[in-house]
Every structure is written in C-alpha cells, then in structure tokens.
Amino acid sequence: MELLTIALPKGRILEESLDLLREAGIDCDNINEDSRKLIFVSDKSNIKFILAKPFDIPTYVEYGVADLGIVGKDILLEEPRDVYELLDLKLGYCRIVVAGPKGKKEYPAHLRVATKFPRITEKYFIEKGRQVEVIKLNGSVELAPIIGLADKIVDIVSTGTTLKENNLVELEQIAEITARLIGNKVSFRLKASRIDELIKGINNIIERGEKDA
Ligand code: PRP
C-alpha cells in the first residue's frame, strides 16, 4: 500500500472532516489539533496527514506535497488552483453573504465592501453591474462597517451569531459552501487505485448519511 499524504484544514471543518474519514475506515485517531504538531502519521492506514491553514491547502495539493486535501469551496472560488475537485463532502455547510449594519439597508453610490474574499466579491458585484471598491481584510471583517472602514461586508455566515452580535444583517446571498475533497493531478494518475478506493469509501458514507437524513 503506497503512502498517501492528505492535507487537512485547521479550524472549523477539521472535526467534521475527521469524523467522516474515521467512518470511512481511515485511521486518524492520533491527530490532535490542540498540539503544536503539524504532521501526523497513521501507520495503520499508511497516510501522512498535514494540518495547514485552510487557504494553503490547495497550494499544497497543486504542488503535489499533498496528494489530497480537504478545503471549503469558498477557498476554491477565491483562489482557483490547478487541482481536481473530486468530491463534495457535504460538510461544513455555510454561506457567503453580503451584510451590513442593521437599519442601513441602502447601498451608497460609491460602495465600499470589506472582505476576506476580494475575488468572489468583485465578481459578484461586476455580474450585477454594480460598482464596488473592495477592501481586503484577513479576518474579523465584521469590524469594518462598525468602525467606518466599509459600508458593507462579504463574509461567511454559519450560525449567524457573529453578524447578530455585531448588529449586522444579511442583505444578499452570494453562494452556498461545503467542504470538498481535492486531488493533485499527477497523484490522481500515479496513485489511482488507492485514491479511488478512498473516494469510494468516503462516498459510501456520504450517501448513507443522505439516505438516513
Ligand atoms: C468566520 C466568518 C465569520 C464567522 C461566522 O470567521 O468570517 O466571522 O466565522 O460564523 P457564525 O455565523 O457561526 O457566527 P472565522 O471564525 O473563520 O474567523 P475570522 O473572522 O478570523 O476569519
């Protein structure tokens, strides 16, 4: 059995991803996000797991240092990479939305939008024929309209708590997001049977879950 390297995103979708892998019979029990370790090896499954920042997962996979990766569709939309999108894992559901301060629903003529997703934001507003100045931030985007940096934000909404706690309301939905399994193009050929087996195992679990739902 040849070694597979899988890049997993630290943060919100890690737990759900590990649950799915486990259910598919892939040993990932020694992965511990709370430790400072970034590489975990399962001798049982002969898999090396890399824990990385979500935005870096497609980069690892494109360059082939990871054969496979799990990453949100938001990141694939924001920074397209030369990788195969192999499977919709149907986990980590969230939405990308336009939001703004409560009670201030109008859009000014010169619209400023703060976001971690400048490409998605620009594309969305251009397609709508609306002019926009996009301000790129790296997180805590909800701050921008409160302190007067931007009129609106484009951000991920999951439970809606962050918007609510910052007196912001959703105005428009841009996209629905789930996690995807991505693959390196060369690995997909060279390690075809192993990757195929893994995809089938994961897919069975996803389909079973859909049937039970
Ligand atoms: C995301 C997103 C929102 C929040 C939404 O941020 O950018 O801030 O989660 O989740 P909720 O609807 O469940 O409240 P993340 O936690 O990834 O951190 P960041 O703001 O530092 O990017």
Side-chain angles (χ1 to χ4, degrees):
M1 199 166 48
E2 64 221 311
L3 177 76
L4 265 191
T5 302
I6 304 181
L8 299 174
K10 290 199 261 182
R12 67 171 64 231
I13 62 175
L14 183 65
E15 271 314 312
E16 272 184 274
S17 303
L18 293 177
D19 287 344
L20 178 64
L21 293 176
R22 246 179 247 124
E23 275 191 76
I26 297 158
D27 166 47
C28 44
D29 285 346
N30 68 353
I31 297 180
N32 174 8
E33 198 190 6
D34 299 330
S35 92
R36 303 296 294 173
K37 245 176 94 166
L38 299 170
I39 296 178
F40 299 87
V41 177
S42 161
D43 293 323
K44 221 193 281 173
S45 297
N46 202 24
I47 296 176
K48 181 159 81 183
F49 295 98
I50 301 172
L51 293 196
K53 289 267 185 198
F55 261 99
D56 294 333
I57 301 281
T59 311
Y60 288 114
V61 174
E62 180 179 26
Y63 282 86
V65 290
D67 301 303
L68 298 171
I70 291 180
V71 68
K73 180 71 178 175
D74 51 331
I75 285 167
L76 297 173
L77 290 172
E78 181 59 31
E79 283 186 16
R81 288 276 174 182
D82 194 18
V83 298
Y84 288 137
E85 196 179 307
L86 300 171
L87 210 54
D88 181 349
L89 299 174
K90 312 266 170 85
L91 61 84
Y93 176 81
C94 58
R95 297 174 305 117
I96 301 181
V97 306
V98 183
K102 212 173 168 178
K104 232 180 166 187
K105 291 197 172 163
E106 69 286 356
Y107 288 73
H110 184 99
L111 176 64
R112 290 206 296 186
V113 178
T115 185
K116 278 187 285 189
F117 304 100
R119 185 186 174 113
I120 293 172
T121 303
E122 244 156 51
K123 187 164 175 275
Y124 178 74
F125 282 99
I126 285 170
E127 277 170 9
K128 293 247 156 188
R130 284 142 71 180
Q131 289 237 328
V132 66
E133 180 186 344
V134 177
I135 301 170
K136 163 84 167 48
L137 293 176
N138 290 304
S140 306
V141 174
E142 293 81 4
L143 257 180
I146 301 172
I147 57 170
L149 177 65
D151 307 297
K152 311 287 181 209
I153 61 169
V154 164
D155 202 9
I156 296 283
V157 173
S158 173
T159 61
T161 312
T162 313
L163 286 186
K164 212 166 160 201
E165 289 190 353
N166 291 291
N167 275 320
L168 300 170
V169 289
E170 183 181 328
L171 301 168
E172 297 173 50
Q173 177 171 304
I174 298 182
E176 291 184 294
I177 301 297
T178 48
R180 307 297 159 107
L181 180 73
I182 58 171
N184 174 267
K185 291 189 168 177
V186 176
S187 306
F188 192 71
R189 266 191 294 115
L190 294 183
K191 301 183 181 182
S193 64
R194 255 220 98 174
I195 291 177
D196 204 43
E197 195 187 324
L198 188 133
I199 291 174
K200 279 189 188 135
I202 295 175
N203 207 20
N204 280 341
I205 303 299
I206 296 170
E207 282 177 359
R208 201 197 296 161
E210 281 179 337
K211 238 181 264 157
D212 294 346

